[in-house]
Amino acid sequence: LNLGFSVYHLSRPKYSFLGTDQRLYMRYVLSGNAVMPIANSRYAWMPGIMAYYQGKAKELLLGSLFRVKLQQDSKYTGYKNGAALSFGAWFRLGDAITPTLLFEFHQFAIGVSYDVNVSGLKPATNTRGGLEISLRFTNKNPFMDGKIKPISRFN
């Protein structure tokens, strides 16, 4: 389970090109996600939420991925030689649906998503959205649980 909260523009910097005293509003971001394994299987459900607030603007994203672990633990070392494939979608309330595909391998992940407009702007965009590619590195291997057994020739 991961929960996060952040605040941006604490000093409320000026942003006007015309020399006025207009300042940025502080931006608040709340996020949360979880990996909920399905007992005795290689599957997991990964729900999540993101909320952004800045001045009068706000945005709420709700989504979920379904994760399938592709590689199992080594029966000799206990090392989790992990890889997983996740698929699902995110919904930006009142605006877009984003189908998502994510491949994880050890500490790396690569994802592909596509923003599909479903709001009142749909006629102007012809339901076209934006393709996004993401790369991720996690400092701690998410497939490790600290239960590495020493290799022994006698086991």
Side-chain angles (χ1 to χ4, degrees):
L1 176 66
N2 289 307
L3 295 174
F5 179 76
S6 58
V7 180
Y8 298 82
H9 314 301
L10 288 172
S11 65
R12 305 238 8 242
K14 292 181 182 179
Y15 69 93
S16 173
F17 291 110
L18 303 174
T20 65
D21 285 334
Q22 292 179 322
R23 295 185 174 273
L24 283 174
Y25 288 104
M26 285 194 283
R27 179 175 165 195
Y28 305 95
V29 179
L30 175 66
S31 64
N33 65 353
V35 177
M36 301 171 67
I38 298 172
N40 301 318
S41 74
R42 57 190 185 129
Y43 306 109
W45 177 50
M46 299 170 33
I49 185 171
M50 297 275 302
Y52 303 91
Y53 301 94
Q54 186 173 14
K56 294 180 182 179
K58 55 187 165 192
E59 184 174 71
L60 180 64
L61 289 96
L62 301 170
S64 182
L65 298 176
F66 183 75
R67 183 182 197 205
V68 179
K69 190 173 177 185
L70 301 175
Q71 296 178 345
Q72 298 299 316
D73 305 346
S74 167
K75 66 180 183 179
Y76 299 109
T77 65
Y79 180 73
K80 295 189 181 242
N81 191 15
L85 183 65
S86 302
F87 56 92
W90 287 83
F91 181 60
R92 189 168 49 243
L93 290 184
D95 186 33
I97 293 177
T98 308
T100 303
L101 182 65
L102 179 69
F103 177 68
E104 298 171 277
F105 183 73
H106 293 294
Q107 294 172 274
F108 300 94
I110 184 166
V112 177
S113 58
Y114 189 79
D115 236 22
V116 180
N117 192 320
V118 295
S119 72
L121 292 175
K122 189 164 73 170
T125 63
N126 199 17
T127 317
R128 287 188 218 131
L131 178 67
E132 297 178 8
I133 297 173
S134 61
L135 299 171
R136 182 182 75 201
F137 173 78
T138 306
N139 192 20
K140 182 177 184 242
N141 187 338
F143 296 100
M144 294 287 293
D145 62 3
K147 296 180 181 177
I148 298 176
K149 300 177 195 171
I151 297 173
S152 170
R153 294 185 179 153
F154 304 109
N155 286 349

